[in-house]
Amino acid sequence: MEQQQPKVYDIPDDYKQNALITENRYHDMYREATEQNDVFWAKQAEIIHWFKKWDKVSEVDYHKANIKWYIGGKTNVAYNCLDRHVMSSKKNQAALIWEGDDPHDSKTYTYLQLHREVSRFANVLKKFGVKKGDRVIIYLPMIPELAISCLAIARIGAVHSVVFGGFSAEALKSRILDCDPKVVITSDGGFRGGKVVPLKKNCDAALEGTNVKTCIVVKRTHDTVPLTTPRDHWWHTETNSADIRNECPAEQVDAEDPLFILYTSGSTGKPKGVLHTTGGYLVYASMTHRYVFDYKDGDTYWCTADIGWITGHSYILYGPLANGATTVMFEGVPNYPDYGRFWDVIDKHQVNIFYTAPTAIRAIAKEGDEHVNKRSLTSLRLLGSVGEPINPEAWEWYHKTVGKGKCPIVDTFWQTETGGILITPLPGATPLKPGSATRPFFGIQPAVLDPTTGKELEGEAKGVLCMKASWPGQMRTVFGDHDRFFQTYFSQYKGYYFTGDGCIRDKDGYYWITGRVDDVINVSGHRIGTAEVESAIVLHKNVAEAAVIGINHKIKGQAIYAFVTLNTGITPSEDLKKEIVQCIRTEIGPIASPDAIQWAPALPKTRSGKIMRRILRKIADFQENEIGDTSTLADPSVVDDLIKNRIKDA
Ligand code: PRX
């Protein structure tokens, strides 16, 4: 198709010999998973412990958005991640290595120690009345208490919803109102790149006017924060007074009982509560973690994501811990104290498998090679990438400079909704093409559809990416709104799950994800809905209307560009721009700040009043030659004004 002939990197010899999945085995297992789906997934489910075996492997109807796996099975995620290993020779192995923002700050928990902390905190939650099925919101920095909280909640069969610490009070509040948690867990503050983030202050603002009766506060920064009685309780006071000998048993929950809710942006309206359940999710997270990262006992594995995102859920916590791995959790940022921080952490903990995002790779690469070359990195065996398409230049740099040309890169395509990785190389089975997520994982049946006709395309093709079959890690519903689940993912192309991404399938059957085809912007791997940002901008009293689009950005992948129309009589000014940015930071958080705001006397609209974002994208990306026909616009002359005044250095 439109691809140039990309360079192909063959499987390194040692991977051909020692990998869990070799090329032939990949094809055999892929065929088996496709032809005998339930048989395959029944076999794979043995990867976790079941208190009671399932009665039926799956029940899936994409026409009604009904998805169930391992029906009737009973298990517990925390039991699988902890108790199993405590009863094995792994009990004194490191489960979690926590690396603080400050390079002198790190702490290791063995499986036994982590089990104890989780059990103890689970008892604290019970004391505050948290029961099976109750929701608990976690608004914490990347500290061990975040992992302990998730596992403790799972242990008693409650449902966690982690809200990324970079989200604002308003964003936190909207999530609290949506899922009605019994308890909120936060900290006095958090450290990021040497700076303090005021989490408790945000949490206090978010809790005002809600039904939440209990807030548990971890002491992290030791800044003075007010405790509201009787609502707020210190984590350390509660856990210290809990009897350590009084173990909290793991609740036997149903395979389809909810495990967590994670809010994510879509093309319209407020973020959706993506709901994942227990059995299928855990099978899929642990299985993908094992095979994609070729995980073997003794490996030290590090995923740099924040647990506020799905990557952290599946590939810092649940996948690695279910496999009994040593997982590294990092509180800081890639450029503090300097751009060599990732490499210091790899050397310090002798990391073997390293999984990060293209935006981080590009930000570090632009600082030159010396930060990398000053470190050894000999422990590395495998590299991974996630969150957005990785451009071939960044891929090559990652491969050559970080991986010294020896470490395969697994470019893993997946989504909050998918629970785990869908399209990815397997290091012992897949020759690599920089920029391609390559081939589907076992049981994943991608389809490339023509966006207009909805027809499935065969062979080499370009279109929208859908999935024909379900897999155990797939989300089950939008919390509290099953119809929205159906409308968002299953209504466009009947009988398919629609990812929202465009893609190309090349002659070798490799997939190249080309990015979102809906109104979702991917800024540094974070999904931001244009509608959310627009709603935040129009909250400003002087703003009449706003349209937000994504533009290409060298480091972030995409950046936010906003066209703003002011009320009649209002004079544009730099101060007004600052106020608008502040509105966005208050409503959503700093991650949604636009790189550019352009004043637009009017926006290009169809005669029925629909904003033509396609035209705005071309204007902001300096592609006015490709704008095409503007005759359907209500007022074609607005385009010229926008071209004349567009912002050049966004
Ligand atoms: O557009 C795709 C992009 O990220 C979106 C999913 O975002 P989120 O739910 O926040 O999950 C991110 C981490 C799994 C997808 O719809 N995306 C994710 N990974 C890749 C990617 N695009 C291209 N290549 C990838 N490897």
Side-chain angles (χ1 to χ4, degrees):
M1 303 277 309
E2 295 158 23
Q3 298 285 305
Q4 301 157 7
Q5 279 310 312
K7 203 161 160 184
V8 179
Y9 285 83
D10 204 5
I11 305 158
D13 283 340
D14 49 339
Y15 270 89
K16 280 188 183 150
Q17 280 144 25
N18 301 319
L20 293 174
I21 306 288
T22 54
E23 203 159 10
N24 288 341
R25 193 154 149 71
Y26 167 76
H27 292 292
D28 290 347
M29 279 175 75
Y30 187 80
R31 195 173 322 108
E32 186 196 342
T34 312
E35 288 167 5
Q36 293 188 288
N37 203 250
D38 275 6
V39 176
F40 177 83
W41 285 118
K43 220 188 286 171
Q44 297 307 323
E46 303 293 343
I47 197 170
I48 68 164
H49 174 83
W50 296 87
F51 298 121
K52 174 184 170 285
K53 211 179 155 180
W54 55 92
D55 305 313
K56 193 175 174 198
V57 178
S58 73
E59 220 174 77
V60 175
D61 182 355
Y62 274 3
H63 293 279
K64 295 202 180 90
N66 279 338
I67 299 160
K68 291 196 180 91
W69 283 88
Y70 307 115
I71 301 147
K74 296 243 180 243
T75 185
N76 180 286
V77 165
Y79 182 93
N80 272 286
C81 290
L82 301 169
D83 304 49
R84 260 200 310 169
H85 310 310
V86 167
M87 289 182 274
S88 78
S89 58
K90 286 197 173 163
K91 61 180 180 294
N92 289 320
Q93 181 207 296
L96 186 74
I97 298 178
W98 174 77
E99 170 75 17
D101 187 56
D102 177 336
H104 303 291
D105 211 1
S106 58
K107 193 169 175 182
T108 299
Y109 292 79
T110 64
Y111 273 98
L112 196 59
Q113 288 164 331
L114 191 59
H115 177 266
R116 190 180 301 148
E117 295 301 325
V118 167
S119 188
R120 185 150 68 150
F121 188 61
N123 278 332
V124 171
L125 290 171
K126 276 192 186 164
K127 182 186 125 184
F128 286 109
V130 180
K131 291 188 295 297
K132 181 165 178 275
D134 286 340
R135 273 82 55 209
V136 177
I137 280 199
I138 305 173
Y139 184 62
L140 282 176
M142 283 286 282
I143 53 177
E145 287 80 356
L146 170 49
I148 293 165
S149 298
C150 289
L151 290 159
I153 293 163
R155 189 163 191 86
I156 58 180
V159 185
H160 60 72
S161 184
V162 183
V163 177
F164 172 57
F167 277 126
S168 69
E170 277 305 317
L172 174 60
K173 185 178 197 124
S174 72
R175 287 152 175 79
I176 291 172
L177 293 176
D178 191 75
C179 79
D180 191 24
K182 195 138 214 184
V183 170
V184 173
I185 304 166
T186 190
S187 66
D188 45 5
F191 293 114
R192 266 178 78 80
K195 296 194 196 86
V196 171
V197 189
L199 293 177
K200 178 64 164 63
K201 191 164 147 242
N202 290 347
C203 195
D204 283 341
L207 286 172
E208 227 174 87
T210 69
N211 291 329
V212 178
K213 302 267 183 316
T214 308
C215 177
I216 300 174
V217 189
V218 180
K219 208 169 243 194
R220 170 67 188 126
T221 59
H222 293 263
D223 284 333
T224 310
V225 293
L227 289 200
T228 303
T229 40
R231 190 193 66 193
D232 298 349
H233 305 266
W234 285 116
W235 170 292
H236 59 271
T237 313
E238 294 302 324
T239 49
N240 286 344
S241 62
D243 187 348
I244 205 152
R245 288 160 308 185
N246 182 9
E247 195 189 317
C248 170
E251 182 89 21
Q252 301 199 3
V253 304
D254 208 87
E256 281 301 335
D257 277 336
L259 175 64
F260 65 84
I261 300 167
L262 200 48
Y263 286 86
T264 192
S265 298
S267 48
T268 52
K270 58 172 193 157
K272 299 178 284 285
V274 168
L275 185 115
H276 282 285
T277 57
T278 302
Y281 170 80
L282 192 64
V283 169
Y284 200 70
S286 54
M287 185 191 162
T288 45
H289 173 260
R290 177 171 298 180
Y291 291 144
V292 174
F293 298 105
D294 192 47
Y295 167 73
K296 305 204 185 74
D297 279 350
D299 281 336
T300 297
Y301 160 91
W302 179 22
C303 163
T304 67
D306 192 294
I307 295 177
W309 313 111
I310 189 71
T311 309
H313 282 57
S314 302
Y315 300 114
I316 295 177
L317 284 185
Y318 294 128
L321 293 178
N323 288 330
T326 297
T327 184
V328 178
M329 173 178 183
F330 178 45
E331 183 185 32
V333 291
N335 60 349
Y336 177 79
D338 65 35
Y339 276 93
R341 184 65 193 278
F342 276 1
W343 324 128
D344 280 338
V345 177
I346 290 173
D347 280 354
K348 178 171 170 185
H349 300 295
Q350 291 293 291
V351 170
N352 309 108
I353 306 165
F354 177 67
Y355 189 31
T356 194
T359 185
I361 297 165
R362 290 190 295 260
I364 296 168
K366 82 167 188 329
E367 298 300 313
D369 294 359
E370 64 274 24
H371 289 292
V372 192
N373 293 341
K374 268 197 253 163
R375 278 84 178 179
S376 140
L377 302 186
T378 45
S379 60
L380 283 177
R381 192 183 84 223
L382 179 63
L383 303 172
S385 169
V386 60
E388 53 176 311
I390 178 163
N391 49 311
E393 304 71 44
W395 194 104
E396 296 284 357
W397 184 85
Y398 195 26
H399 189 257
K400 180 164 158 259
T401 313
V402 179
K404 317 294 178 207
K406 293 185 313 228
C407 305
I409 299 176
V410 288
D411 174 0
T412 62
F413 166 80
W414 60 296
Q415 309 176 296
T416 307
E417 293 87 337
T418 70
I421 294 164
L422 296 188
I423 302 183
T424 179
L426 299 182
T430 321
L432 305 173
K433 298 186 194 180
S436 170
T438 76
R439 297 189 297 218
F441 189 72
F442 307 124
I444 302 304
Q445 299 180 38
V448 183
L449 267 54
D450 180 305
T452 12
T453 62
K455 225 175 105 293
E456 192 175 329
L457 306 170
E458 299 298 329
E460 283 181 69
K462 181 176 184 181
V464 291
L465 179 64
C466 292
M467 299 294 151
K468 283 194 263 201
S470 180
W471 61 97
Q474 187 168 25
M475 76 182 279
R476 302 298 196 261
T477 193
V478 170
F479 181 74
D481 195 350
H482 195 70
D483 185 53
R484 192 165 174 208
F485 180 47
F486 174 79
Q487 295 301 339
T488 313
Y489 305 103
F490 302 97
S491 67
Q492 300 84 348
Y493 306 104
K494 301 279 182 270
Y496 294 91
Y497 165 78
F498 173 46
T499 61
D501 283 294
C503 83
I504 292 170
R505 186 173 47 216
D506 72 12
K507 62 176 177 17
D508 299 320
Y510 275 39
Y511 291 82
W512 301 74
I513 311 299
T514 51
R516 303 288 306 193
V517 294
D518 53 8
D519 289 322
V520 170
I521 306 177
N522 191 330
V523 183
S524 301
H526 302 320
R527 262 164 81 163
I528 299 179
T530 52
E532 276 172 79
V533 185
E534 288 163 6
S535 311
I537 297 176
V538 298
L539 285 179
H540 193 287
K541 64 180 189 312
N542 293 339
V543 172
E545 201 172 25
V548 161
I549 51 143
I551 53 167
N552 295 325
H553 188 280
K554 274 215 251 343
I555 305 291
K556 300 193 244 186
Q558 283 193 298
I560 297 175
Y561 191 111
F563 292 90
V564 177
T565 308
L566 295 172
N567 288 326
T568 315
I570 301 294
T571 317
S573 69
E574 283 308 306
D575 281 346
L576 198 48
K577 278 193 186 174
K578 283 191 196 129
E579 287 170 28
I580 290 171
V581 171
Q582 195 47 50
C583 278
I584 300 168
R585 294 172 75 100
T586 307
E587 283 302 300
I588 307 171
I591 54 169
S593 300
D595 273 41
I597 295 178
Q598 175 174 349
W599 304 120
L603 294 168
K605 289 185 187 169
T606 60
R607 289 195 188 99
S608 59
K610 200 171 165 316
I611 296 173
M612 300 282 286
R613 283 202 182 68
R614 180 182 61 78
I615 293 182
L616 294 174
R617 270 185 221 114
K618 297 287 176 205
I619 294 173
D621 266 337
F622 290 81
Q623 296 175 337
E624 59 265 35
N625 298 337
E626 293 173 27
I627 287 178
D629 184 14
T630 55
S631 63
T632 53
L633 292 178
D635 176 8
S637 71
V638 303
V639 172
D640 294 336
D641 177 84
L642 295 180
I643 292 176
K644 205 160 72 213
N645 294 308
R646 76 184 141 200
I647 294 164
K648 299 200 172 47
D649 51 1

